[in-house]
Amino acid sequence: MSDAFNTRVLNVATGSVERIADITRDCDSFLREVAAGRDGLLNVFVPHATAGVAVIETGAGSDDDLLAALHSLLPADDRWQHRHGSPGHGRDHVLPAIVPPHATLPVLGGQLELGTWQSVCLVDTNRDNPDRRVRLSFLGGR
């Protein structure tokens, strides 16, 4: 594989509770190893039918606000036709239509180009799957 494209899989333990996991440091660490000061794109992809990727502020309540908003939009009740798993699990399968399973972010000079308060986060409302994979892929100029 050329040095223009690099990829790595992160294993993220989200546990048995709904969670927004900040993976910005993992993204930064990956880029320090592979970007070598180059410009390019970082793609973050969650290969799961019940999780997503969001770029949001964390630590000031926005992560809890996002979970609350998802509860309002996607209640964990018996309205869902997809019925396996814990009660309301069907809503977890709708989540990626609202919080997509991917994000592509600019990398300048080998560093992720985020706004001051932005973080890259794994959004996981599925209490039935405590272990997630996140694929980071960097496509950089030569």
Side-chain angles (χ1 to χ4, degrees):
M1 186 175 297
S2 82
D3 64 348
F5 181 81
N6 293 275
T7 189
R8 171 175 301 150
V9 174
L10 304 175
N11 294 303
V12 180
T14 56
S16 59
V17 296
E18 296 178 0
R19 180 163 175 224
I20 295 178
D22 187 339
I23 59 169
T24 308
R25 287 185 181 164
D26 297 300
C27 294
D28 289 339
S29 176
F30 172 66
L31 290 171
R32 275 193 302 278
E33 292 178 31
V34 303
R38 295 176 292 156
D39 294 349
L41 296 171
L42 174 68
N43 182 262
V44 182
F45 177 71
V46 182
H48 297 282
T50 59
V53 175
V55 177
I56 63 169
E57 177 182 7
T58 59
S62 296
D63 34 359
D64 291 332
D65 289 341
L66 176 56
L67 287 176
L70 291 172
H71 276 276
S72 294
L73 290 170
L74 305 171
D77 58 22
D78 64 356
R79 74 183 69 202
W80 307 102
Q81 293 182 37
H82 187 108
R83 295 187 184 264
H84 77 82
S86 61
H89 175 65
R91 64 122 182 193
D92 298 326
H93 286 273
V94 176
L95 174 78
I98 296 170
V99 180
H102 59 87
T104 300
L105 306 165
V107 176
L108 298 176
Q111 295 186 3
L112 197 53
E113 185 70 12
L114 292 174
T116 302
W117 304 111
Q118 290 179 315
S119 296
V120 182
C121 297
L122 167 66
V123 179
D124 186 2
T125 60
N126 182 358
R127 298 180 311 253
D128 297 338
N129 188 350
D131 299 302
R132 297 300 188 152
R133 292 185 330 269
V134 179
R135 179 169 296 279
L136 304 178
S137 300
F138 174 69
L139 179 61
R142 295 189 181 260

